[in-house]
Amino acid sequence: MPNTRIKVPETAKAGDIVEIRAVIQHPMENGFNVDSQGTTIPVEIITDFVCEYDGGEVFRVKLEPGLSANPYFSFFLKATKTGPVDFHWLDQNGSKTDASVTLTVT
Amino acid sequence: MKRLLAGVVAFIAVSGALGAVVGTSGAQISANAAVETAAGARSGYTYMGPETQALQDDDFANPGMLWVDEGQKLWSQPAGVKGLSCQSCHGDAKTSMRTVATRYPAFSPQLGRMINLEQQINYSRTAHQGADAYPYESEELLALTAYISHQAKGLPMNVAIDGPAAQDFARGKAFFYQRRGQLNLACNNCHEQHAGDHLRAESISQGQVNGFPIYRELWQAMGSLDRMFAWCNTAVRAEPYAAGSQEYVDLELYERWRGRGLLIESPAVRR
């Protein structure tokens, strides 16, 4: 499973706008690179990134081959109640990488 | 007349250089008593654009930190027939590995030659853990090298070049000034004589090595110093040496001495 890095504030006040950051380690092969033998390396990318919080989807990205390696997303979220912030990455072969952090709302 | 003019130019150049040496060395000794910084040495960081610098400075967004994280996992993971991890002998890397990256390449009494950090990791794996050596440029070796080098972040590079290192140092220095490849360029032709100039849209750095292993945007991945050496050799259309070859260890030793006193930035982000 690829490495991921997540940053969610540990605590927030209800109604606060908090910054969420997420990185996944992935080569994001765009299909134009060649290996040392001159053979084209096929496309190998993450296709979807989703963030869920408080029972609903709060952020979704559709990724394309033009993105650079190790895609990094930063976005904002309105803290409503204590609960997990779930992250899901889906690659083109259907394999899923998950991560979850609890956000405590005071 | 022409000859006279050349003589005058040469005189100005020499006296200018002398002035620079006298002027800077005194100030730098007082600034850093432990390791005197090489006169005029500038980290590759200072040649980067503000975006690349910002990416390196942000410990979360810096993609090299993904490898550091991986290295941290590997540090405490048992390997080999003896079931030992790095941590079993070395304990917490934060203290035991704090200064290690500042002094490599170093002489290995066991192997009887100068080795770089990657080779020391592999020596520990084969000799102490009873595990297979990691291949050069493997994700695992890059991760461990990045993790160990990261512990020395902010400390000045300070390699020993005397005693058993003297011969390697001389060879590394000769390598640096040896013209090579179809373009017939030595390292110093760009990185000394033209540092700060431009090569098409690229600014030429001094070729300092204080940030390695680096996350290179061109590679979209982490790379070792030997990969960079090989890349540079290929760029002047010379046949590169193998990663981990003694030629590159010697060159690394010279390069680390050349940038002595520069602070370690691993994992640095470069173009």
Side-chain angles (χ1 to χ4, degrees), chain A residues 3-7 21-27 67-70 72, chain B residues 55 58-63 65-67 69-70 73 139 215 220-221:
Chain A
N3 281 327
T4 59
R5 308 190 89 208
I6 307 287
K7 199 165 192 178
R21 309 168 89 186
V23 186
I24 185 166
Q25 187 170 19
H26 198 280
L67 275 166
S68 51
N70 312 311
Y72 159 53
Chain B
L55 193 59
D58 186 338
D59 262 357
F60 182 84
N62 182 343
M65 292 304 284
L66 287 161
W67 277 262
D69 281 358
E70 179 68 21
K73 279 185 222 158
E139 292 291 298
Y215 185 87
Q220 297 272 293

Side-chain angles (χ1 to χ4, degrees), chain B residues 165-189:
Chain B
Q167 279 192 333
D168 291 71
F169 178 77
R171 280 199 299 268
K173 186 173 184 180
F175 190 109
F176 190 82
Y177 289 97
Q178 172 66 54
R179 287 178 180 268
R180 62 189 70 244
Q182 276 186 319
L183 300 189
N184 200 29
L185 289 170
C187 309
N188 79 307
N189 292 144

Side-chain angles (χ1 to χ4, degrees), chain B residues 79-80 120-134 144:
Chain B
Q120 180 63 55
I121 292 169
N122 272 337
Y123 173 76
S124 287
R125 278 181 66 79
T126 51
H128 302 310
Q129 292 178 291
D132 292 334
Y134 288 128
L144 270 175

